[in-house]
PDB file of all heavy atoms in Angstrom:
ATOM      1  N   ILE A 639     141.217 102.510 104.922  1.00 98.00           N
ATOM      2  CA  ILE A 639     141.302 102.063 106.335  1.00 98.00           C
ATOM      3  C   ILE A 639     141.942 100.670 106.452  1.00 98.00           C
ATOM      4  O   ILE A 639     141.420  99.675 106.002  1.00 98.00           O
ATOM      5  CB  ILE A 639     139.804 102.052 106.943  1.00 98.00           C
ATOM      6  CG1 ILE A 639     139.067 103.285 106.761  1.00 98.00           C
ATOM      7  CG2 ILE A 639     139.957 101.690 108.441  1.00 98.00           C
ATOM      8  CD1 ILE A 639     139.808 104.524 107.386  1.00 98.00           C
ATOM      9  N   ILE A 790     129.303  92.243 116.530  1.00 92.00           N
ATOM     10  CA  ILE A 790     129.843  93.387 115.807  1.00 92.00           C
ATOM     11  C   ILE A 790     129.327  94.640 116.494  1.00 92.00           C
ATOM     12  O   ILE A 790     128.079  94.944 116.550  1.00 92.00           O
ATOM     13  CB  ILE A 790     129.389  93.417 114.375  1.00 92.00           C
ATOM     14  CG1 ILE A 790     129.913  92.164 113.677  1.00 92.00           C
ATOM     15  CG2 ILE A 790     129.911  94.682 113.622  1.00 92.00           C
ATOM     16  CD1 ILE A 790     129.546  92.011 112.232  1.00 92.00           C
ATOM     17  N   GLN A 804     130.488  88.090 108.060  1.00 88.00           N
ATOM     18  CA  GLN A 804     131.810  88.526 107.550  1.00 88.00           C
ATOM     19  C   GLN A 804     132.954  87.883 108.280  1.00 88.00           C
ATOM     20  O   GLN A 804     132.869  87.683 109.429  1.00 88.00           O
ATOM     21  CB  GLN A 804     131.903  90.054 107.770  1.00 88.00           C
ATOM     22  CG  GLN A 804     131.104  90.900 106.846  1.00 88.00           C
ATOM     23  CD  GLN A 804     131.713  91.139 105.448  1.00 88.00           C
ATOM     24  OE1 GLN A 804     132.728  90.420 105.133  1.00 88.00           O
ATOM     25  NE2 GLN A 804     131.159  92.030 104.628  1.00 88.00           N
ATOM     26  N   ASN A 806     135.927  88.877 108.897  1.00 95.00           N
ATOM     27  CA  ASN A 806     136.854  89.721 109.685  1.00 95.00           C
ATOM     28  C   ASN A 806     136.032  90.753 110.518  1.00 95.00           C
ATOM     29  O   ASN A 806     135.755  91.831 110.210  1.00 95.00           O
ATOM     30  CB  ASN A 806     137.754  90.567 108.757  1.00 95.00           C
ATOM     31  CG  ASN A 806     138.837  91.364 109.461  1.00 95.00           C
ATOM     32  OD1 ASN A 806     138.768  91.734 110.547  1.00 95.00           O
ATOM     33  ND2 ASN A 806     139.883  91.679 108.679  1.00 95.00           N
ATOM     34  N   PRO A 807     135.583  90.294 111.621  1.00 90.00           N
ATOM     35  CA  PRO A 807     134.714  91.068 112.434  1.00 90.00           C
ATOM     36  C   PRO A 807     135.241  92.384 112.952  1.00 90.00           C
ATOM     37  O   PRO A 807     134.492  93.435 113.172  1.00 90.00           O
ATOM     38  CB  PRO A 807     134.265  90.201 113.632  1.00 90.00           C
ATOM     39  CG  PRO A 807     135.351  89.205 113.721  1.00 90.00           C
ATOM     40  CD  PRO A 807     135.835  88.931 112.356  1.00 90.00           C
ATOM     41  N   GLN A 808     136.508  92.504 113.181  1.00 90.00           N
ATOM     42  CA  GLN A 808     137.163  93.730 113.664  1.00 90.00           C
ATOM     43  C   GLN A 808     136.934  94.850 112.625  1.00 90.00           C
ATOM     44  O   GLN A 808     136.498  95.976 112.865  1.00 90.00           O
ATOM     45  CB  GLN A 808     138.677  93.541 113.869  1.00 90.00           C
ATOM     46  CG  GLN A 808     139.004  92.803 115.165  1.00 90.00           C
ATOM     47  CD  GLN A 808     140.557  92.723 115.228  1.00 90.00           C
ATOM     48  OE1 GLN A 808     141.132  92.025 114.402  1.00 90.00           O
ATOM     49  NE2 GLN A 808     141.109  93.319 116.193  1.00 90.00           N
ATOM     50  N   GLN A 809     137.296  94.526 111.355  1.00 95.00           N
ATOM     51  CA  GLN A 809     137.297  95.559 110.288  1.00 95.00           C
ATOM     52  C   GLN A 809     135.762  95.664 109.847  1.00 95.00           C
ATOM     53  O   GLN A 809     135.401  96.787 109.404  1.00 95.00           O
ATOM     54  CB  GLN A 809     138.125  95.107 109.042  1.00 95.00           C
ATOM     55  CG  GLN A 809     139.569  95.372 109.292  1.00 95.00           C
ATOM     56  CD  GLN A 809     139.961  96.788 109.358  1.00 95.00           C
ATOM     57  OE1 GLN A 809     139.960  97.391 110.509  1.00 95.00           O
ATOM     58  NE2 GLN A 809     140.361  97.381 108.254  1.00 95.00           N
ATOM     59  N   THR A 810     134.986  94.720 109.908  1.00 94.00           N
ATOM     60  CA  THR A 810     133.600  94.781 109.556  1.00 94.00           C
ATOM     61  C   THR A 810     132.852  95.798 110.365  1.00 94.00           C
ATOM     62  O   THR A 810     132.089  96.638 109.961  1.00 94.00           O
ATOM     63  CB  THR A 810     132.890  93.406 109.739  1.00 94.00           C
ATOM     64  OG1 THR A 810     133.438  92.455 108.808  1.00 94.00           O
ATOM     65  CG2 THR A 810     131.327  93.562 109.400  1.00 94.00           C
ATOM     66  N   GLU A 811     133.169  95.893 111.634  1.00 94.00           N
ATOM     67  CA  GLU A 811     132.555  96.841 112.472  1.00 94.00           C
ATOM     68  C   GLU A 811     132.912  98.292 112.010  1.00 94.00           C
ATOM     69  O   GLU A 811     132.061  99.179 111.891  1.00 94.00           O
ATOM     70  CB  GLU A 811     132.927  96.770 113.945  1.00 94.00           C
ATOM     71  CG  GLU A 811     132.324  97.837 114.851  1.00 94.00           C
ATOM     72  CD  GLU A 811     132.753  97.672 116.338  1.00 94.00           C
ATOM     73  OE1 GLU A 811     133.461  96.799 116.673  1.00 94.00           O
ATOM     74  OE2 GLU A 811     132.225  98.562 117.128  1.00 94.00           O
ATOM     75  N   LYS A 812     134.148  98.479 111.669  1.00 96.00           N
ATOM     76  CA  LYS A 812     134.613  99.864 111.128  1.00 96.00           C
ATOM     77  C   LYS A 812     133.942 100.071 109.739  1.00 96.00           C
ATOM     78  O   LYS A 812     133.531 101.169 109.533  1.00 96.00           O
ATOM     79  CB  LYS A 812     136.126  99.859 110.878  1.00 96.00           C
ATOM     80  CG  LYS A 812     136.869  99.732 112.194  1.00 96.00           C
ATOM     81  CD  LYS A 812     138.372  99.705 111.885  1.00 96.00           C
ATOM     82  CE  LYS A 812     139.228  99.469 113.160  1.00 96.00           C
ATOM     83  NZ  LYS A 812     140.708  99.314 112.872  1.00 96.00           N
ATOM     84  N   LEU A 813     133.776  99.092 108.969  1.00 96.00           N
ATOM     85  CA  LEU A 813     133.176  99.193 107.580  1.00 96.00           C
ATOM     86  C   LEU A 813     131.702  99.649 107.807  1.00 96.00           C
ATOM     87  O   LEU A 813     131.250 100.619 107.052  1.00 96.00           O
ATOM     88  CB  LEU A 813     133.296  97.891 106.920  1.00 96.00           C
ATOM     89  CG  LEU A 813     132.649  97.755 105.560  1.00 96.00           C
ATOM     90  CD1 LEU A 813     133.642  98.479 104.470  1.00 96.00           C
ATOM     91  CD2 LEU A 813     132.359  96.300 105.087  1.00 96.00           C
ATOM     92  N   TYR A 814     131.005  98.948 108.602  1.00 95.00           N
ATOM     93  CA  TYR A 814     129.564  99.215 108.813  1.00 95.00           C
ATOM     94  C   TYR A 814     129.342 100.489 109.454  1.00 95.00           C
ATOM     95  O   TYR A 814     128.395 101.266 109.181  1.00 95.00           O
ATOM     96  CB  TYR A 814     128.856  98.054 109.507  1.00 95.00           C
ATOM     97  CG  TYR A 814     128.765  96.781 108.636  1.00 95.00           C
ATOM     98  CD1 TYR A 814     128.361  95.578 109.293  1.00 95.00           C
ATOM     99  CD2 TYR A 814     129.036  96.730 107.357  1.00 95.00           C
ATOM    100  CE1 TYR A 814     128.251  94.407 108.504  1.00 95.00           C
ATOM    101  CE2 TYR A 814     128.977  95.653 106.540  1.00 95.00           C
ATOM    102  CZ  TYR A 814     128.533  94.447 107.186  1.00 95.00           C
ATOM    103  OH  TYR A 814     128.419  93.313 106.469  1.00 95.00           O
ATOM    104  N   ARG A 815     130.180 100.809 110.406  1.00 95.00           N
ATOM    105  CA  ARG A 815     130.023 102.094 111.140  1.00 95.00           C
ATOM    106  C   ARG A 815     130.282 103.258 110.150  1.00 95.00           C
ATOM    107  O   ARG A 815     129.549 104.321 110.231  1.00 95.00           O
ATOM    108  CB  ARG A 815     131.055 102.298 112.315  1.00 95.00           C
ATOM    109  CG  ARG A 815     130.790 101.369 113.449  1.00 95.00           C
ATOM    110  CD  ARG A 815     129.556 101.774 114.300  1.00 95.00           C
ATOM    111  NE  ARG A 815     129.391 100.811 115.385  1.00 95.00           N
ATOM    112  CZ  ARG A 815     128.261 100.725 116.082  1.00 95.00           C
ATOM    113  NH1 ARG A 815     127.251 101.461 115.722  1.00 95.00           N
ATOM    114  NH2 ARG A 815     128.101  99.875 117.073  1.00 95.00           N
ATOM    115  N   LYS A 816     131.190 103.175 109.210  1.00 96.00           N
ATOM    116  CA  LYS A 816     131.430 104.080 108.191  1.00 96.00           C
ATOM    117  C   LYS A 816     130.207 104.305 107.319  1.00 96.00           C
ATOM    118  O   LYS A 816     129.798 105.340 106.946  1.00 96.00           O
ATOM    119  CB  LYS A 816     132.672 103.838 107.420  1.00 96.00           C
ATOM    120  CG  LYS A 816     132.976 104.747 106.269  1.00 96.00           C
ATOM    121  CD  LYS A 816     133.352 106.122 106.850  1.00 96.00           C
ATOM    122  CE  LYS A 816     133.845 107.076 105.772  1.00 96.00           C
ATOM    123  NZ  LYS A 816     134.104 108.373 106.279  1.00 96.00           N
ATOM    124  N   ALA A 817     129.669 103.090 106.914  1.00 96.00           N
ATOM    125  CA  ALA A 817     128.471 103.120 106.028  1.00 96.00           C
ATOM    126  C   ALA A 817     127.361 103.863 106.641  1.00 96.00           C
ATOM    127  O   ALA A 817     126.681 104.727 105.978  1.00 96.00           O
ATOM    128  CB  ALA A 817     128.100 101.694 105.703  1.00 96.00           C
ATOM    129  N   ILE A 818     127.117 103.679 107.915  1.00 95.00           N
ATOM    130  CA  ILE A 818     125.989 104.337 108.628  1.00 95.00           C
ATOM    131  C   ILE A 818     126.346 105.797 108.904  1.00 95.00           C
ATOM    132  O   ILE A 818     125.397 106.607 108.735  1.00 95.00           O
ATOM    133  CB  ILE A 818     125.726 103.541 109.890  1.00 95.00           C
ATOM    134  CG1 ILE A 818     125.142 102.151 109.580  1.00 95.00           C
ATOM    135  CG2 ILE A 818     124.704 104.331 110.762  1.00 95.00           C
ATOM    136  CD1 ILE A 818     125.193 101.168 110.671  1.00 95.00           C
ATOM    137  N   SER A 819     127.581 106.076 109.286  1.00 95.00           N
ATOM    138  CA  SER A 819     127.901 107.494 109.507  1.00 95.00           C
ATOM    139  C   SER A 819     127.791 108.376 108.267  1.00 95.00           C
ATOM    140  O   SER A 819     127.442 109.599 108.291  1.00 95.00           O
ATOM    141  CB  SER A 819     129.279 107.589 110.124  1.00 95.00           C
ATOM    142  OG  SER A 819     130.316 107.355 109.164  1.00 95.00           O
ATOM    143  N   CYS A 820     128.075 107.752 107.153  1.00 93.00           N
ATOM    144  CA  CYS A 820     127.910 108.451 105.846  1.00 93.00           C
ATOM    145  C   CYS A 820     126.514 108.966 105.647  1.00 93.00           C
ATOM    146  O   CYS A 820     126.336 110.032 105.075  1.00 93.00           O
ATOM    147  CB  CYS A 820     128.167 107.454 104.677  1.00 93.00           C
ATOM    148  SG  CYS A 820     129.971 107.297 104.254  1.00 93.00           S
ATOM    149  N   ILE A 839     123.989  95.007 108.855  1.00 94.00           N
ATOM    150  CA  ILE A 839     123.984  96.476 108.746  1.00 94.00           C
ATOM    151  C   ILE A 839     122.745  97.140 109.362  1.00 94.00           C
ATOM    152  O   ILE A 839     122.836  98.090 110.170  1.00 94.00           O
ATOM    153  CB  ILE A 839     124.199  96.976 107.339  1.00 94.00           C
ATOM    154  CG1 ILE A 839     125.520  96.370 106.802  1.00 94.00           C
ATOM    155  CG2 ILE A 839     124.211  98.501 107.195  1.00 94.00           C
ATOM    156  CD1 ILE A 839     125.699  96.779 105.348  1.00 94.00           C
ATOM    157  N   ILE A 842     122.578  97.366 113.143  1.00 96.00           N
ATOM    158  CA  ILE A 842     123.569  98.388 113.709  1.00 96.00           C
ATOM    159  C   ILE A 842     122.945  99.768 113.394  1.00 96.00           C
ATOM    160  O   ILE A 842     123.030 100.721 114.243  1.00 96.00           O
ATOM    161  CB  ILE A 842     124.941  98.281 113.045  1.00 96.00           C
ATOM    162  CG1 ILE A 842     125.565  96.964 113.379  1.00 96.00           C
ATOM    163  CG2 ILE A 842     125.817  99.485 113.399  1.00 96.00           C
ATOM    164  CD1 ILE A 842     126.953  96.676 112.736  1.00 96.00           C
ATOM    165  N   ASP A 902     124.380  96.348 100.001  1.00 93.00           N
ATOM    166  CA  ASP A 902     125.585  95.648 100.129  1.00 93.00           C
ATOM    167  C   ASP A 902     125.492  94.343  99.262  1.00 93.00           C
ATOM    168  O   ASP A 902     125.306  93.247  99.848  1.00 93.00           O
ATOM    169  CB  ASP A 902     125.891  95.273 101.605  1.00 93.00           C
ATOM    170  CG  ASP A 902     127.119  94.479 101.860  1.00 93.00           C
ATOM    171  OD1 ASP A 902     127.935  94.438 100.962  1.00 93.00           O
ATOM    172  OD2 ASP A 902     127.364  94.103 103.061  1.00 93.00           O
ATOM    173  N   VAL A 925     123.887 104.546 100.179  1.00 98.00           N
ATOM    174  CA  VAL A 925     125.204 104.145 100.690  1.00 98.00           C
ATOM    175  C   VAL A 925     125.482 102.721 100.069  1.00 98.00           C
ATOM    176  O   VAL A 925     124.770 101.736 100.275  1.00 98.00           O
ATOM    177  CB  VAL A 925     125.244 104.080 102.229  1.00 98.00           C
ATOM    178  CG1 VAL A 925     126.601 103.563 102.702  1.00 98.00           C
ATOM    179  CG2 VAL A 925     124.850 105.359 102.769  1.00 98.00           C
ATOM    180  N   TYR A 926     126.586 102.617  99.315  1.00 98.00           N
ATOM    181  CA  TYR A 926     126.891 101.402  98.534  1.00 98.00           C
ATOM    182  C   TYR A 926     128.116 100.827  99.230  1.00 98.00           C
ATOM    183  O   TYR A 926     129.126 101.385  99.254  1.00 98.00           O
ATOM    184  CB  TYR A 926     127.089 101.834  97.118  1.00 98.00           C
ATOM    185  CG  TYR A 926     127.244 100.614  96.071  1.00 98.00           C
ATOM    186  CD1 TYR A 926     126.585 100.593  94.911  1.00 98.00           C
ATOM    187  CD2 TYR A 926     128.068  99.467  96.412  1.00 98.00           C
ATOM    188  CE1 TYR A 926     126.652  99.592  94.064  1.00 98.00           C
ATOM    189  CE2 TYR A 926     128.140  98.305  95.539  1.00 98.00           C
ATOM    190  CZ  TYR A 926     127.319  98.410  94.366  1.00 98.00           C
ATOM    191  OH  TYR A 926     127.483  97.341  93.464  1.00 98.00           O
ATOM    192  N   VAL A 927     127.814  99.613  99.733  1.00 97.00           N
ATOM    193  CA  VAL A 927     129.050  98.814 100.382  1.00 97.00           C
ATOM    194  C   VAL A 927     129.410  97.779  99.395  1.00 97.00           C
ATOM    195  O   VAL A 927     128.590  96.936  98.971  1.00 97.00           O
ATOM    196  CB  VAL A 927     128.580  98.173 101.654  1.00 97.00           C
ATOM    197  CG1 VAL A 927     129.760  97.450 102.304  1.00 97.00           C
ATOM    198  CG2 VAL A 927     128.058  99.295 102.692  1.00 97.00           C
ATOM    199  N   SER A 928     130.637  97.815  98.890  1.00 96.00           N
ATOM    200  CA  SER A 928     131.043  96.954  97.760  1.00 96.00           C
ATOM    201  C   SER A 928     132.146  96.041  98.085  1.00 96.00           C
ATOM    202  O   SER A 928     133.142  96.412  98.856  1.00 96.00           O
ATOM    203  CB  SER A 928     131.448  97.820  96.642  1.00 96.00           C
ATOM    204  OG  SER A 928     132.213  97.144  95.644  1.00 96.00           O
ATOM    205  N   CYS A 929     132.248  94.796  97.595  1.00 94.00           N
ATOM    206  CA  CYS A 929     133.336  93.967  97.699  1.00 94.00           C
ATOM    207  C   CYS A 929     133.987  93.763  96.351  1.00 94.00           C
ATOM    208  O   CYS A 929     134.845  92.813  96.172  1.00 94.00           O
ATOM    209  CB  CYS A 929     133.035  92.653  98.346  1.00 94.00           C
ATOM    210  SG  CYS A 929     131.738  91.723  97.665  1.00 94.00           S
ATOM    211  N   THR A 952     135.416 105.534 100.284  1.00 98.00           N
ATOM    212  CA  THR A 952     136.505 105.111 101.292  1.00 98.00           C
ATOM    213  C   THR A 952     136.718 103.559 101.046  1.00 98.00           C
ATOM    214  O   THR A 952     135.881 102.808 101.378  1.00 98.00           O
ATOM    215  CB  THR A 952     135.935 105.345 102.781  1.00 98.00           C
ATOM    216  OG1 THR A 952     135.555 106.666 102.917  1.00 98.00           O
ATOM    217  CG2 THR A 952     137.102 105.000 103.740  1.00 98.00           C
ATOM    218  N   PRO A 953     137.926 103.222 100.657  1.00 98.00           N
ATOM    219  CA  PRO A 953     138.337 101.802 100.674  1.00 98.00           C
ATOM    220  C   PRO A 953     138.641 101.214 102.029  1.00 98.00           C
ATOM    221  O   PRO A 953     139.119 101.995 102.897  1.00 98.00           O
ATOM    222  CB  PRO A 953     139.616 101.822  99.809  1.00 98.00           C
ATOM    223  CG  PRO A 953     139.797 103.201  99.262  1.00 98.00           C
ATOM    224  CD  PRO A 953     139.035 104.140 100.129  1.00 98.00           C
ATOM    225  N   PHE A 954     138.409  99.974 102.210  1.00 98.00           N
ATOM    226  CA  PHE A 954     138.685  99.305 103.466  1.00 98.00           C
ATOM    227  C   PHE A 954     139.436  98.005 103.087  1.00 98.00           C
ATOM    228  O   PHE A 954     139.079  97.316 102.262  1.00 98.00           O
ATOM    229  CB  PHE A 954     137.368  98.904 104.201  1.00 98.00           C
ATOM    230  CG  PHE A 954     136.792 100.046 104.958  1.00 98.00           C
ATOM    231  CD1 PHE A 954     136.055 101.072 104.395  1.00 98.00           C
ATOM    232  CD2 PHE A 954     136.910 100.113 106.364  1.00 98.00           C
ATOM    233  CE1 PHE A 954     135.513 102.049 105.047  1.00 98.00           C
ATOM    234  CE2 PHE A 954     136.323 101.074 107.083  1.00 98.00           C
ATOM    235  CZ  PHE A 954     135.628 102.068 106.468  1.00 98.00           C
ATOM    236  N   ASP A 955     140.420  97.733 103.985  1.00 98.00           N
ATOM    237  CA  ASP A 955     141.200  96.454 103.779  1.00 98.00           C
ATOM    238  C   ASP A 955     140.645  95.458 104.769  1.00 98.00           C
ATOM    239  O   ASP A 955     141.017  95.533 106.020  1.00 98.00           O
ATOM    240  CB  ASP A 955     142.656  96.661 103.943  1.00 98.00           C
ATOM    241  CG  ASP A 955     143.425  95.341 103.705  1.00 98.00           C
ATOM    242  OD1 ASP A 955     142.885  94.512 103.018  1.00 98.00           O
ATOM    243  OD2 ASP A 955     144.605  95.272 104.091  1.00 98.00           O
ATOM    244  N   LEU A 956     139.777  94.603 104.362  1.00 97.00           N
ATOM    245  CA  LEU A 956     139.332  93.456 105.314  1.00 97.00           C
ATOM    246  C   LEU A 956     140.132  92.233 105.116  1.00 97.00           C
ATOM    247  O   LEU A 956     139.923  91.332 105.919  1.00 97.00           O
ATOM    248  CB  LEU A 956     137.839  93.192 105.020  1.00 97.00           C
ATOM    249  CG  LEU A 956     136.852  93.945 105.788  1.00 97.00           C
ATOM    250  CD1 LEU A 956     136.803  95.447 105.476  1.00 97.00           C
ATOM    251  CD2 LEU A 956     135.390  93.348 105.719  1.00 97.00           C
ATOM    252  N   PHE A 957     140.955  92.186 104.113  1.00 96.00           N
ATOM    253  CA  PHE A 957     141.706  90.966 103.747  1.00 96.00           C
ATOM    254  C   PHE A 957     143.141  91.177 103.423  1.00 96.00           C
ATOM    255  O   PHE A 957     143.582  91.114 102.291  1.00 96.00           O
ATOM    256  CB  PHE A 957     140.911  90.284 102.569  1.00 96.00           C
ATOM    257  CG  PHE A 957     139.442  90.171 102.800  1.00 96.00           C
ATOM    258  CD1 PHE A 957     138.665  91.025 102.071  1.00 96.00           C
ATOM    259  CD2 PHE A 957     138.967  89.268 103.557  1.00 96.00           C
ATOM    260  CE1 PHE A 957     137.248  90.953 102.199  1.00 96.00           C
ATOM    261  CE2 PHE A 957     137.542  89.212 103.774  1.00 96.00           C
ATOM    262  CZ  PHE A 957     136.715  90.001 103.034  1.00 96.00           C
ATOM    263  N   VAL A 963     139.383  94.031  98.144  1.00 97.00           N
ATOM    264  CA  VAL A 963     139.255  95.276  98.848  1.00 97.00           C
ATOM    265  C   VAL A 963     137.758  95.602  98.864  1.00 97.00           C
ATOM    266  O   VAL A 963     136.982  95.337  98.028  1.00 97.00           O
ATOM    267  CB  VAL A 963     140.020  96.430  98.197  1.00 97.00           C
ATOM    268  CG1 VAL A 963     139.514  96.521  96.617  1.00 97.00           C
ATOM    269  CG2 VAL A 963     139.898  97.793  98.879  1.00 97.00           C
ATOM    270  N   GLU A 964     137.301  96.143  99.998  1.00 97.00           N
ATOM    271  CA  GLU A 964     135.940  96.621 100.261  1.00 97.00           C
ATOM    272  C   GLU A 964     135.920  98.161 100.041  1.00 97.00           C
ATOM    273  O   GLU A 964     136.950  98.811 100.301  1.00 97.00           O
ATOM    274  CB  GLU A 964     135.419  96.160 101.605  1.00 97.00           C
ATOM    275  CG  GLU A 964     135.466  94.703 101.935  1.00 97.00           C
ATOM    276  CD  GLU A 964     134.090  94.058 101.680  1.00 97.00           C
ATOM    277  OE1 GLU A 964     133.155  94.703 101.679  1.00 97.00           O
ATOM    278  OE2 GLU A 964     134.082  92.805 101.428  1.00 97.00           O
ATOM    279  N   THR A 965     134.823  98.630  99.698  1.00 98.00           N
ATOM    280  CA  THR A 965     134.655 100.068  99.525  1.00 98.00           C
ATOM    281  C   THR A 965     133.242 100.612 100.087  1.00 98.00           C
ATOM    282  O   THR A 965     132.327  99.844  99.890  1.00 98.00           O
ATOM    283  CB  THR A 965     134.838 100.510  98.056  1.00 98.00           C
ATOM    284  OG1 THR A 965     135.875  99.869  97.478  1.00 98.00           O
ATOM    285  CG2 THR A 965     134.964 101.969  97.911  1.00 98.00           C
ATOM    286  N   VAL A 966     133.218 101.774 100.702  1.00 98.00           N
ATOM    287  CA  VAL A 966     131.986 102.408 101.062  1.00 98.00           C
ATOM    288  C   VAL A 966     131.876 103.710 100.255  1.00 98.00           C
ATOM    289  O   VAL A 966     132.740 104.571 100.309  1.00 98.00           O
ATOM    290  CB  VAL A 966     131.888 102.722 102.577  1.00 98.00           C
ATOM    291  CG1 VAL A 966     130.657 103.500 102.891  1.00 98.00           C
ATOM    292  CG2 VAL A 966     131.858 101.431 103.401  1.00 98.00           C
ATOM    293  N   CYS A 967     130.749 103.838  99.565  1.00 98.00           N
ATOM    294  CA  CYS A 967     130.536 105.064  98.721  1.00 98.00           C
ATOM    295  C   CYS A 967     129.213 105.639  99.095  1.00 98.00           C
ATOM    296  O   CYS A 967     128.227 104.955  99.288  1.00 98.00           O
ATOM    297  CB  CYS A 967     130.511 104.723  97.207  1.00 98.00           C
ATOM    298  SG  CYS A 967     132.171 104.505  96.484  1.00 98.00           S
TER     299      CYS A 967
END
Side-chain angles (χ1 to χ4, degrees):
I639 308 299
I790 297 178
Q804 288 279 12
N806 185 340
Q808 284 180 295
Q809 284 293 87
T810 296
E811 180 178 359
K812 295 177 185 178
L813 179 79
Y814 289 171
R815 292 290 181 196
K816 178 65 175 178
I818 293 161
S819 70
C820 277
I839 297 180
I842 295 173
D902 185 8
V925 180
Y926 194 130
V927 181
S928 164
C929 58
T952 308
F954 279 77
D955 186 20
L956 267 69
F957 312 103
V963 57
E964 302 262 337
T965 314
V966 174
C967 284

